[in-house]
Amino acid sequence: MLTTANFLQYTQWSGIATLLFAALTVFAFILKWGIRFRLVGTTGFMLVLTSGLFALSIVPLSRTVIPGAAHYTLVYDNGSTQAVIATSPQITPTQLDATLRQAVSNLFSSGRSGTRQEDKLTVRARTIIHPELGASVPVYLGEAKRSLVSRENSAIAIEIYTEKFAQLPKPTA
């Protein structure tokens, strides 16, 4: 995965290329070359590209990795206060706890908007079971809540629905 240090290096190279195109553009205007206006567009594009790379070098792109977390897929996100993740039916309560902590941490964003009544991000975990042929039933296994106000010092409240784990199929050896 690309890091902010990689993007900073790409920004430097793109900045050098932008300066070279700008110098070439000035040179083309002095000599009245036919491609001088195309070079203006190329220089402008390089400015936009360099600015974008610089922005990516500032913002951290890392995800939280919590040991013991299982793979999950985001299946619903209203962009505000609610999200739902899907997990495997073979997940254990310990893995679910770690997975919910990882998901609620990764889905936190200062751009999410809460309301006065609901200022917490709620991530619910579910899996799909097939009790009979042709039937699929979603089973909600737990949920995690954290504040939308602050990333630091935000307690994460985890609730695991242990009674729902009895409905899951037993792993075969």
Side-chain angles (χ1 to χ4, degrees), residues 42-121:
T42 304
T43 304
F45 172 75
M46 288 301 298
L47 278 170
V48 170
L49 182 65
T50 303
S51 301
L53 288 171
F54 178 69
L56 289 172
S57 72
I58 293 173
V59 178
L61 298 173
S62 61
R63 294 276 189 200
T64 303
V65 177
I66 295 183
H71 175 73
Y72 69 89
T73 305
L74 182 67
V75 292
Y76 173 77
D77 188 354
N78 70 356
S80 180
T81 59
Q82 296 180 7
V84 177
I85 61 169
T87 63
S88 166
Q90 284 78 33
I91 196 166
T92 64
T94 306
Q95 288 176 321
L96 181 64
D97 183 83
T99 304
L100 281 168
R101 287 183 190 282
Q102 182 172 319
V104 78
S105 180
N106 287 339
L107 293 173
F108 176 83
S109 169
S110 57
R112 289 184 177 270
S113 60
T115 62
R116 289 183 190 200
Q117 294 80 19
E118 185 63 38
D119 67 339
K120 296 198 179 300
L121 170 62

Side-chain angles (χ1 to χ4, degrees), residues 124-145:
R124 298 177 72 197
R126 69 136 170 94
T127 190
I128 301 289
I129 60 170
H130 307 284
E132 58 186 52
L133 189 63
S136 299
V137 177
V139 177
Y140 285 91
L141 302 173
E143 69 180 23
K145 291 186 178 189

Side-chain angles (χ1 to χ4, degrees), residues 9-19 46 49-51 53:
Q9 183 180 13
Y10 300 150
T11 302
Q12 292 170 347
W13 284 106
S14 182
I16 291 169
T18 302
L19 291 175
M46 288 301 298
L49 182 65
T50 303
S51 301
L53 288 171

